[in-house]
Each structure stands twice: as structure tokens, then as C-alpha cells.
Amino acid sequence: MTRTPSPPGSAFRAGAESDPTPPHSVHLVGVRKRYGSVQAVDGVDLAIAPGEVVALLGPNGAGKSTTIDMLLGLTRPDSGTVRLFGRAPRQACTAGLVGAMLQNGGLLPEITVGKMLTAVRALYPHALPTAEVLARAGIGDLADARTDRLSGGQRQRVRFALALLPDPDLIVLDEPTAAMDVESRRAFWAAMRAWAAGGRTVLFATHYLEEADAFADRIVLLRRGRVIADGPTTEVKALVGGRTIRATLRGLDDAGLAGLGRLPGVARVESRGESITLTCPDSDAALRALLAAHPAAEDIEVVGAGLEDAFIALTSDDVATTGAAAGREETSA
Amino acid sequence: MTTSPAASPAAVPTADAPITAVPITGAAVTYLRYVRSEVSRVWRNTRLLIFSLALPIILFGAFSSSGADDRLGDLTVAPYIMISMASFGAMNAVLGTAGRIATERSIGWNRQLRLTALTGPQYVLGKVTTGFTLAVLPIVAVFAAGDAMRGVRLSAGTYLGAGASILLGLVPLAAFAIWLGYLVRPENMQAITGGVFSLLALAGGIWVPVENFPGWLADIVKLLPMYWSAQAGRAVLAGGWVGGRGLATLAVWTVVLGAVAGRAYLRDQLRT
């Protein structure tokens, strides 16, 4: 317990090769899950040290929910191991170490928010008082409201309160702000930040880069059930937050095409006839260099890449397949 | 309450006895807390109050009004119908488990509970215990109605024996309710349980006494579990008990339906 936790990003490499003596909050090794013909999760390794705030970022169907379900012990992996604080997920939950907001999770009907929280509270070994949890989730005024008469944003806040109940060391949030408007989203993250300031571990799934950027110390990029990047938020953001430059270059030969790839700020080049597409971590530098090298360039467009585009760019070996691989079908509420 | 069974292993002076005693106690506490919160949440449910409380009392009043001295089997009409309706109300309370499991499955509430100290088996057992606890209410209410409306007055022991026998006869139906809960979608549950309730009540001789059935039909009814719940209660009133045949029938149905319910439960645990 005296060894300092590995720094973010390098954590899983350090953890995967040796036995995790100082227990990571989360430790997945070679986790796989297949649903029918779809390999939803395809060998995920992930180690999260206590106190880290990690975003699991990926498009719909990337395997985020399936990974989280296996992490929480709600789904059994086909292979691989899952440990939370060095224990099986079930044992960690029983000990009250884990709180979670599951995707599309409903609330118990025919009861008030306060009574529901008190009922669940009784099922944890060292839970926080209901009033305190209501206050921390910013819903002290909802204690007497019926669970089936809440707005979408209010329901999410109540589910956040449920996650806080056991006074957990790890909180796992699966697309926590999906049903929230901008205002509730801001309030939610403010409450979340206040909670995490105590050195507790947070893992949240999102498909918004901005959300991951604003809140996480570290981003784990998931695509088609695999981790395709894992590192500090600033690095991963540079990787996926880039822009795309499209232009028409008349009379471009192979040598000229190869030259484009060497321009500053350009990560990748695609061409279709005379039309070229450059994937750029630094589009400003790339555009200046492009115009210097090809002053006659026409039809120039600079667009911000969507997350899915960025992911395709990062996994260029399988560009041909478009669209996200369908992971676990996420039922709509 | 200081000498709970869970504490007894600690009395054995072995090194690991306290370690085993603590989780058993903790698990039992979690389970009991769950049952308490479930009972206090569910018992005021309108549907439950109508079908398991109001309806049996109304039907008792209607069916027991004529032929006070006529005999059905070993009993006169009023006590016979009283047991039938107590059994009917209790049956509805126990079968209500199906709807509660199905609803909680559909909204993912059972997943939320799996993140607590409550285990999957404790969840199912808690649901069953809740069903049986709620079933006590209609039994007491119909017995009270029997006294108030038709002057059926029994000894405390007979009341207790009859009530317990009715509940014992509902054990196979509790397994059936679990199975339904993991099988049926909540939107179809109302239609299915409505039909199942009526069929079970009819086939159990609740609405029409089995004594009035043709012989071949009565033979079939006596192979079904529902008949034996009311019959077990009536046997106590007649001064006997449910008997070997009834007990064997109930045991076989409990094993069969319990196995089916267990399979449905395990499938659900692995799927979600």
C-alpha cells in the first residue's frame, strides 16, 4: 500500500505485466465479450489508480456500456479478469466501495425520492445519511417528490444521489448527462467535481469530447471494443480534436502527394483523383504550409473532425468500414 | 433476540468462527432490511388492495349467503367459502411478485440493486418473503369477515393452522410467480396474470367448489397445486391436515416450478 500509484496513461502497462500489489481502483486485463456475431469488447486492458478521473470516450457502439457492465460485475466477460480495489466486482460492491449511474436506469416507482434512497441506503454497510446525499446531489428539494413525476434532468440527479449513497471510493457513470439540458449538465459536473475533490476515483463514459476534456485528467479512447488511445487529456484531445483540410490540387503527381504527408501539422493524407483530404492535429500550420507549397490549391475547406471521423483517422487500417460497430444494443428509455 | 441462529457458530471456539459469523449476520440483516422496505412500499398498492383484499371479501359475502346448512365436503358453506376466498386473496398477493420482478427488470432496478450488498438470491428470496407477508393480510381480513358476516368463529389454533396451511399450499405458486417475473415483459404482465389468476382460481375450485365438478374433472384439479392451498386450510377446519397426497403434490410442483424459475433467473443474471 506504500507504493505510489503509476502516473495516468502508463498505468495499465505497468499494471498488466505484474501482479497489482497496490490495488488499482479499476483493473481490467484482456477483457472480452461477444454478443452473437458482434465482438462488443475485444481485449480491453485498463488500470486506474486511486484519485484518477478518467473518461471512457468513444462513439455509440464502441463498447463503453459493455465494458462498464463487466467492470461492475453486471455482465460476465467471456475472458479476461476484472478487479476493483483488488477484489472481484461483487465483493467490492458488497463492501460499499462502488457507486454507479447506469445508463437508462429507472427509479423504483410508487415511492418518494427520500424513501427510495432510504430503502437502498439500508442495503449498504456504511452509507451516508439520506439528507446528506440529497444535498450533495443538489436535490434537497426533491425528497418528497414521487419518483415517477420527475423531469429527465431531475431523474439523473436522483440517480447520481443513488450512486453517492454508499460513500464509495469509486464512482462509475455511464453517459451521466445524456438526458440533461445545458444548465443541469453544468450543475451536475459542479456537484461531481466537489465530490471527486476528496481524492476519489471517477470513471465516466461519454461520447462528447468536450465533456471528457472539461472534466477528465485522462482519456481512454475506445473504438470497436478496443482501446485505441490512452493518455492525459491534453494529448488525447490533440489526437482526436484535430481538423480536416480538403482541397483540389490540379496536376498533383505521386511525389507531390507524398510531399503533402510531410507538411507540418498533417497526420494523414487521402486522395481521390485531384481532391485531397488532410487530417491535421494542427490545421493552422498545415494550411499555411499547404498554400506555400501549392499556391494554386482550390476549393479549400477546413472542418472540425467529428469524433467518429477522428477515430477512423486513428485506426486508418480499416478506413473502408464506415459506421460504428454495433456494440451492446442500448435500449432507449 | 440475542440468541439468533447466526450467532451460534461464534460459540464454537475455532479461529475462523468470528469471520464466518460476521458475514452471515450481515447478509441476514441486509435481507431483512430489504423485505421490510419492500413490504412497506408495496402494501398500499391499489391493485393489490383491490384484488387481494376487497375482492375476496366481496366474493365471500356473495357466495356464502345461501344454504347455511348445506354441506360441501366436510364443511358447511360459510367456512368452506371463507377458506376459498382467504386462499384466493393470498394467491393474488403471492402472484403479485411476478409483476414486481418484471417491472424492476424492465427499468433496470435489479441492476441497480446488484451494486449493493443485496445478492441476487437474496433479492429473489426477499421478493417471495414480501409476497407471503402481504398474503397474511387477506387471510386475516377474510377470517374476520367470516366472523362478522356469517358468524364463523374458530379457535386461535385453528385460525393459525388454517392460515399457515393456506400459505404452505402457495409455495409452488411463489416459484411460478418468479418464473413469470423473469419470463414475461411488464407490458404483457397484466393481461397474462389476469388470465392466470382466473384460471388458477377456477382450476383450484375457488369459485366453484370441486365437490360440484364431474368426477374426471375433479381428478385433474387434484393434480394441480392451487387446489391444495384451499384444501389444506379446509382440512384444518375439519380437524385434520392436508394429508400425504396433498403434500406430495405440492412438493412435486414446488420442485418442478422451482427448477424452471431458477433457470429463468440464472439466464437473466447472465444476460444483463
Side-chain angles (χ1 to χ4, degrees):
Chain A
M1 294 298 284
T2 50
R3 250 170 65 184
T4 51
S6 314
S10 67
F12 101 71
R13 269 154 241 112
E17 68 199 15
S18 66
D19 147 274
T21 326
H24 287 98
S25 300
V26 175
H27 197 194
L28 310 187
V29 179
V31 171
R32 288 190 162 77
K33 182 72 185 179
R34 170 178 285 273
Y35 288 111
S37 62
V38 178
Q39 189 72 45
V41 172
D42 192 10
V44 165
D45 296 298
L46 177 65
I48 300 176
E52 280 195 87
V53 178
V54 178
L56 197 56
L57 181 65
N60 287 327
K64 303 191 294 293
S65 287
T66 306
T67 302
I68 282 180
D69 280 359
M70 288 191 286
L71 188 150
L72 294 171
L74 296 172
T75 298
R76 191 180 299 170
D78 296 335
S79 62
T81 57
V82 179
R83 306 301 271 177
L84 304 178
F85 302 100
R87 319 178 190 198
R90 178 67 222 152
Q91 269 68 52
C93 287
T94 303
L97 296 171
V98 185
M101 266 176 87
L102 304 169
Q103 203 178 18
N104 301 324
L107 300 172
L108 202 58
E110 298 168 356
I111 193 171
T112 66
V113 169
K115 281 190 178 146
M116 183 193 75
L117 289 171
T118 304
V120 178
R121 183 182 180 276
L123 306 179
Y124 285 113
H126 49 76
L128 294 171
T130 304
E132 185 181 338
V133 165
L134 284 166
R136 284 194 192 197
I139 48 169
D141 54 326
L142 292 182
D144 296 324
R146 291 227 352 200
T147 53
D148 32 23
R149 291 178 194 158
L150 301 174
S151 74
Q154 287 173 327
R155 293 173 71 82
Q156 290 293 88
R157 302 289 287 278
V158 172
R159 293 176 50 225
F160 178 49
L162 273 172
L164 294 180
L165 263 183
D167 194 16
D169 292 335
L170 165 69
I171 200 160
V172 179
L173 314 156
D174 193 357
E175 311 245 351
T177 59
M180 293 186 193
D181 56 32
V182 177
E183 193 47 50
S184 348
R185 203 168 279 213
R186 193 170 300 144
F188 171 81
W189 283 118
M192 192 65 230
R193 251 190 217 102
W195 183 83
R200 284 176 270 207
T201 312
V202 180
L203 173 66
F204 67 99
T206 181
H207 55 260
Y208 298 117
L209 177 61
E210 312 81 69
E211 204 160 82
D213 180 35
F215 189 64
D217 311 325
R218 171 180 163 199
I219 295 179
V220 175
L221 272 184
L222 206 61
R223 180 165 186 263
R224 294 193 195 165
R226 292 174 190 239
V227 174
I228 56 172
D230 179 354
T233 299
T234 44
E235 286 177 21
V236 176
K237 193 192 167 200
L239 219 52
V240 297
R243 294 188 170 84
T244 300
I245 299 175
R246 290 199 195 92
T248 304
L249 304 181
R250 306 252 178 246
L252 186 71
D253 56 13
D254 284 354
L257 190 63
L260 290 174
R262 290 190 293 271
L263 292 178
V266 175
R268 198 164 151 263
V269 183
E270 279 174 85
S271 70
R272 189 172 296 127
E274 295 179 328
S275 159
I276 54 120
T277 303
L278 309 177
T279 305
C280 308
D282 182 352
S283 58
D284 297 343
L287 186 58
R288 284 189 197 98
L290 176 69
L291 288 172
H294 301 274
E298 295 165 27
D299 305 330
I300 300 169
E301 273 181 82
V302 182
V303 290
L307 202 53
E308 177 62 12
D309 294 336
F311 284 180
I312 290 173
L314 281 169
T315 52
S316 48
D317 50 322
D318 51 14
V319 177
T321 32
T322 54
R328 203 193 81 192
E329 275 308 314
E330 283 146 359
T331 49
S332 54
Chain B
M1 292 308 288
T2 46
T3 53
S4 70
S8 54
V12 184
T14 60
D16 54 2
I19 299 167
T20 51
V22 170
I24 292 169
T25 313
V29 167
T30 307
Y31 160 75
L32 289 174
R33 282 172 168 176
Y34 180 61
V35 171
R36 189 182 59 189
S37 81
E38 276 295 285
V39 170
S40 68
R41 178 177 70 93
V42 173
W43 81 270
R44 274 168 296 201
N45 177 285
T46 320
R47 256 173 55 84
L48 184 81
L49 289 178
I50 291 174
F51 285 97
S52 92
L53 212 55
L55 193 61
I57 292 173
I58 293 168
L59 291 179
F60 169 71
F63 291 172
S64 64
S65 61
S66 65
D69 295 324
D70 292 355
R71 295 190 76 81
L72 286 165
D74 297 330
L75 301 174
T76 52
V77 170
Y80 187 103
I81 302 291
M82 181 181 84
I83 294 294
S84 293
M85 290 308 146
S87 176
F88 177 62
M91 176 190 91
N92 285 345
V94 169
L95 281 179
T97 304
R100 290 191 283 279
I101 291 177
T103 304
E104 291 178 21
R105 240 160 41 87
S106 76
I107 63 171
W109 186 252
N110 55 349
R111 281 158 54 84
Q112 188 76 44
L113 290 183
R114 279 167 71 182
L115 302 174
T116 70
L118 189 77
T119 64
Q122 282 179 333
Y123 170 82
V124 173
L125 202 63
K127 282 277 183 274
V128 171
T129 311
T130 303
F132 276 104
T133 307
L134 294 170
V136 172
L137 211 63
I139 293 176
V140 171
V142 174
F143 284 0
D147 183 3
M149 294 161 78
R150 304 283 174 240
V152 181
R153 194 157 303 166
L154 310 170
S155 72
T158 310
Y159 276 132
L160 222 59
S165 298
I166 289 172
L167 292 179
L168 176 78
L170 292 174
V171 170
L173 286 184
F176 181 64
I178 295 167
W179 182 50
L180 276 184
Y182 283 102
L183 188 77
V184 180
R185 289 166 169 277
E187 58 266 31
N188 303 332
M189 188 55 88
Q190 199 142 353
I192 287 182
T193 48
V196 165
F197 281 15
S198 310
L199 215 62
L200 280 173
L202 198 62
I206 298 279
W207 289 341
V208 181
V210 175
E211 282 75 7
N212 299 349
F213 284 8
W216 62 271
L217 192 57
D219 287 343
I220 294 175
V221 163
K222 286 174 187 176
L223 291 174
L224 300 174
M226 191 53 218
Y227 167 76
W228 293 101
S229 169
Q231 185 54 34
R234 282 192 285 266
V236 173
L237 262 62
W241 69 300
V242 64
R245 183 185 168 190
L247 211 58
T249 309
L250 288 171
V252 169
W253 277 106
T254 301
V255 169
V256 170
L257 292 169
V260 177
R263 260 190 44 174
Y265 162 77
L266 284 178
R267 201 171 45 221
D268 183 74
Q269 293 279 298
L270 293 179
R271 189 181 57 82
T272 51

